[in-house]
Every structure is written in C-alpha cells, then in structure tokens.
Amino acid sequence: MMAKIKVATTSLAGCFGCHMSFLDLDERLVALAEVAEFDRSPITDIEHCGPCDIGLIEGGVCNSENVHVLREFRKNCKILVAVGACAINGGLPAMRNHISLEDCLLEAYRDGIGVENAQIPSDPELPLLLDKVHPIHEIVKIDYFLPGCPPSADVFWTFLTALLEGREPSFPYELVHYD
Amino acid sequence: MTGTINIDGQNIPFEEGQTIIEAATAAGVYIPHLCHQPGYTPHGSCKLCTVKVNGRNCSACTFPAADGQTVINNSAEQELDRRRITQMLFVEGNHFCPSCEKSGNCQLQGVAYHLNMLDNHYPHFFENREMDASHPDILIDHNRCIFCNLCVRASQQKDGKNVFGIAGRGINKRLIVNSPSGQLKDSDIDINDSAVHICPTGALLIKRTGYQVPIGQRIYDHKHISEVALAQENDNGQD
Ligand code: SF4
Ligand code: SF4
Ligand code: FES
C-alpha cells in the first residue's frame, strides 16, 4: 500500500468556518481518510506540524503567533494553500485595518458595552497584535488559493482529488465565489 | 463607410464611428470591461478592455474600428494582463465581498469570476477611505469605488446635473460630490437619477435594497458576466 499523504491544517485569524466547510465533505471524508492522514490540525490536536504534503491555512495574519505558525507551515509543507477570504485578502478581520490598534483594544476591553473589570490584556504569554491584519501571501509564498467565505466542500474536494490524481487543480465557474 | 475587423479569427462588420468594443458587442463578442457602458462617452480608465490591435495594446472602448484591423481579444497573455489589472483594482480599494451588499451583483466581482481570479496577487493597500451615509436614500462607500467615472458621466449626460466628479490624480484620486458641504445629502441627487443606478461596484448603493436576494441566487452566482453584459448592452445599445 502506498504511504498516505500528510495534510496539516490551521486557523490563523479566521473563524473556523473554512474548517467547518471542510467537514461538509461528509462521507467523502471516509474516502479521503483512506489516502490521507492529518498531521497538525484541530482534529488531531498536534501542536507543531511535521513534514507534510499539503498545508491548508485558514485565516489571515493578525498577531505574532500567526506569523510563527505560518512560517512553520511553509517550512514543513510541500504545498501551501490559502483557504478562504481571510487567508486570501484578510477578510472581515482586516476591516479593523482602518481603526487604530489602540482604539480597537480600548473598545474591546475598556469602553465597549458590557465590559466588566476593564483592563487591556498584557500577559507576556499572549501573542502581540500586529498593527494590521495581512493576507498570508504577504508573509510567505503560497502555492494555491481556494476563494470563498468559506469555500464550499466541493471546492476542497475538487482541489484535493485533482492533487491526489496528479492533475493541476481547476475550478468550474460555479465554484468560484468570494462570499 | 463600413468595413470589417477580425477578432480572434472571426470577421466582424463595423460602421463608421464605432469603437472596437461597440462592433464586438453588436456581433456578440464579449470584451471584458468596467468603465464602458453603451450610450456614454468612452472614458478608457479601467483598462480591462485592453486588446491587441495589429500587435499593439489598445483600449477597445476608446479605439475606433478601422478596416482590416487584426484584434486579439482572447489569448493567454491577454487574460493574464486582465487578471492582473483586476487584481490591482481589488488591492487598491478595500473589497471585502462577504460584507458587501453588492456581492453577487457586482460587475467587478463578475469580471474577476470570468477571469478565474483566485487571489489578489499584490500586497494590499488597506487605504483609509470614508463612507458618506448622509443622504436618506443613497449611500457612497468609497472603499469600493474604482473611479470608472460612470456616475460622473451619468449625472452630466443623462440626468442633466453635475453631482459627481473625480478629483486628484494617481493614488490620490477620489470621487467627490458637488455640494457646498461635499456631502451627498446637500447635493441635488435624486433616487431616480441614472447616476444612482449605474455603479458597477458596491460604491454607490440605494439604501434598504440590499440582501433581498440570498447569496447563491444573485446574478453572477450563476451567470457569466459575458452573457449578462452582451444581452443587456445589445438591448440598451438600440435605444
Ligand atoms: S464592490 Fe464588488 S468586488 Fe468590491 S466588495 Fe463589493 S462585491 Fe466585492
Ligand atoms: S462610485 Fe461607482 S460609478 Fe462612480 S466612479 Fe466609483 S465605481 Fe464608478
Ligand atoms: S472599458 Fe475600456 S478602459 Fe475601461
């Protein structure tokens, strides 16, 4: 039997919606599990990714930890894929790019409605926020992009089956969406 | 005088005074475009309609058809150029389609789908752009304006007003409103003006009309912009 291909996934500044959409593969996940296994992913709870064939990245880059995770994925994955609007253009998290970081923090932790025990978190364990949210192609080289908010399960399936069969992935018109 | 031009190997007749895009549209050949609309003077700003005419890049919406021209509209090179131009339009503004009420009905997005644009390629500007929600019925979200000038032309040429203008140059250009305060509420715009309905993107919107059709059932969710544009523009072109 051929060795299974290794897939790692992560969510940076995203909402896990792309992961949920991936799970919409439903019974096709069984077929996928026969040829692929997960390395680091929310499904396996592995902390660092090892050498992988495919890395699926959801979400943009909003803090220092996102940068580290993204670089680790780039180092370890032969093929790195930007999954969804946030990874591709920053998505909704990037809508904060027009507000100063200070104002964002004050609104969230001090001045916002319903805030109790107001204080700006400053534990050294916490990753530092970046001034702006960035799409991942601005940090590392990306090999493929799956647009959508989220991309549908059919997008994942079309993409992965093409790669597994050694074909160049391409998407019919109906599968390309930005919303 | 009439004549014939050749687009991608197909002979297409034209009439004196027609531009390449007008001749192409009449013959059912789609040339991607955003700042061109039949019935308005050409503006030539978006450059999406760039074709090769006798070996040179030209805007099909401003270039007059002339007998014997060889035009390349569909080639790998042309498609890549157009994809890059569209990507530039996306990174220059702030286009967050999932939060935009024009999504699915937006021509910029429709063109990007048509070009199979999967990413934005360039670093994003994330430029600060304002919103003008001052008017009770009409909204301008400058984040999505591509400076196609269609609202400017529509206001002047169809509505007999002069509500909009483009000020500044290059990266400093911006859409301005011709009113004492610079705000839309103090202009003489009316909800029935052509200018309000012509915007190809979600920059100029009519309030309380968004999200009425669910995602997935909007125009470009299921129809290529080539099909939609040819049908509409051949209709409009007649009047
Ligand atoms: S104007 Fe069009 S391209 Fe821009 S955000 Fe709205 S739907 Fe997307
Ligand atoms: S508001 Fe719309 S119609 Fe006016 S210039 Fe901007 S994109 Fe074009
Ligand atoms: S349509 Fe020709 S330049 Fe915009």
Side-chain angles (χ1 to χ4, degrees):
Chain A
M1 200 187 91
M2 259 174 43
K4 289 186 175 184
I5 61 150
K6 278 208 166 168
V7 182
T9 79
T10 190
S11 175
L12 307 176
C15 69
F16 274 101
C18 295
H19 276 84
M20 300 310 288
S21 189
F22 184 85
L23 293 179
D24 282 342
L25 283 170
D26 297 333
E27 65 272 16
R28 288 178 289 189
L29 283 168
V30 179
L32 189 62
E34 280 170 16
V35 290
E37 63 183 339
F38 283 107
D39 189 270
R40 175 183 163 146
S41 157
I43 297 165
T44 56
D45 212 15
I46 298 171
E47 220 172 298
H48 292 280
C49 83
C52 284
D53 297 288
I54 303 172
L56 302 173
I57 313 267
E58 165 194 329
V61 174
C62 80
N63 65 30
S64 54
E65 195 217 356
N66 295 157
V67 178
H68 290 302
V69 172
L70 183 55
R71 291 210 170 123
E72 182 179 284
F73 266 72
R74 181 66 279 179
K75 211 169 85 205
N76 284 299
C77 302
K78 287 186 202 145
I79 295 171
L80 203 59
V81 190
V83 178
C86 303
I88 292 171
N89 61 30
L92 300 197
M95 293 180 95
R96 82 145 152 96
N97 288 355
H98 308 293
I99 304 164
S100 79
L101 198 51
E102 187 183 1
D103 285 347
C104 287
L105 287 167
L106 290 176
E107 177 67 18
Y109 295 106
R110 198 191 69 184
D111 305 332
I113 294 165
V115 171
E116 284 175 28
N117 191 13
Q119 56 176 313
I120 308 277
S122 67
D123 194 290
E125 290 272 307
L126 289 174
L128 284 173
L129 286 177
L130 303 183
D131 181 37
K132 284 195 178 0
V133 179
H134 293 272
I136 63 175
H137 77 271
E138 294 184 11
I139 320 287
V140 297
K141 181 183 183 299
I142 301 300
D143 302 297
Y144 292 99
F145 298 83
L146 309 183
C149 184
S152 64
D154 285 339
V155 172
F156 285 104
W157 187 247
T158 306
F159 176 71
L160 290 171
T161 46
L163 277 194
L164 286 165
E165 289 165 12
R167 287 180 287 117
E168 191 56 26
S170 73
F171 302 98
Y173 184 88
E174 306 74 59
L175 289 189
V176 181
H177 282 288
Y178 302 158
D179 54 16
Chain B
M1 192 197 86
T2 58
T4 311
I5 59 175
N6 185 291
I7 304 184
D8 296 330
Q10 185 185 344
N11 284 332
I12 284 170
F14 71 89
E15 283 161 30
E16 176 74 19
Q18 273 188 324
T19 58
I20 290 176
I21 210 168
E22 283 167 345
T25 306
V29 172
Y30 173 69
I31 300 178
H33 57 276
L34 285 168
C35 71
H36 157 82
Q37 273 295 319
Y40 294 92
T41 51
H43 193 245
S45 59
C46 75
K47 293 293 167 249
L48 213 75
C49 68
T50 304
V51 290
K52 270 217 153 85
V53 183
N54 298 340
R56 293 174 56 189
N57 280 329
C58 302
S59 309
C61 70
T62 57
F63 210 74
D67 204 26
Q69 279 167 341
T70 303
V71 178
I72 298 175
N73 176 37
N74 278 321
S75 68
E77 184 190 336
Q78 226 61 9
E79 188 175 295
L80 179 62
D81 284 353
R82 287 178 186 151
R83 201 178 309 131
R84 290 289 182 253
I85 290 166
T86 310
Q87 286 164 327
M88 286 184 219
L89 290 173
F90 269 82
V91 300
E92 188 186 318
N94 297 300
H95 295 275
F96 300 112
C97 299
S99 76
C100 178
E101 59 183 83
K102 194 71 174 265
S103 194
N105 296 329
C106 165
Q107 290 174 27
L108 175 61
Q109 196 185 53
V111 158
Y113 290 169
H114 174 79
L115 296 169
N116 198 29
M117 184 184 119
L118 302 180
D119 72 312
N120 291 354
H121 187 77
Y122 298 104
H124 285 249
F125 286 27
F126 292 128
E127 197 197 345
N128 251 335
R129 297 214 201 153
E130 298 294 315
M131 208 190 278
D132 178 350
S134 63
H135 194 280
D137 299 316
I138 304 155
L139 175 96
I140 308 178
D141 187 339
H142 291 276
N143 289 297
R144 305 176 187 137
C145 178
I146 57 167
F147 312 110
C148 69
N149 200 264
L150 275 167
C151 57
V152 181
R153 283 174 280 166
S155 186
Q156 289 170 353
Q157 296 169 16
K158 298 271 150 136
D159 306 330
K161 301 181 183 177
N162 192 15
V163 175
F164 298 102
I166 306 268
R169 283 183 182 271
I171 201 60
N172 296 317
K173 71 184 166 312
R174 62 208 180 276
L175 181 73
I176 53 167
V177 173
N178 191 6
S179 72
S181 63
Q183 288 196 307
L184 203 54
K185 72 169 164 53
D186 299 319
S187 72
D188 58 352
I189 197 156
D190 183 86
I191 193 163
N192 297 315
D193 287 355
S194 306
V196 179
H197 300 265
I198 201 160
C199 182
T201 73
L204 203 47
L205 293 168
I206 299 170
K207 289 182 178 177
R208 297 175 292 281
T209 58
Y211 307 112
Q212 285 176 350
V213 179
I215 286 182
Q217 294 170 31
R218 299 173 188 167
I219 303 169
Y220 305 114
D221 288 338
H222 50 93
K223 273 201 178 139
H224 281 253
I225 194 164
S226 51
E227 226 185 300
V228 178
L230 284 174
Q232 280 175 358
E233 292 170 16
N234 274 317
D235 272 3
N236 296 345
Q238 305 307 318
D239 60 39

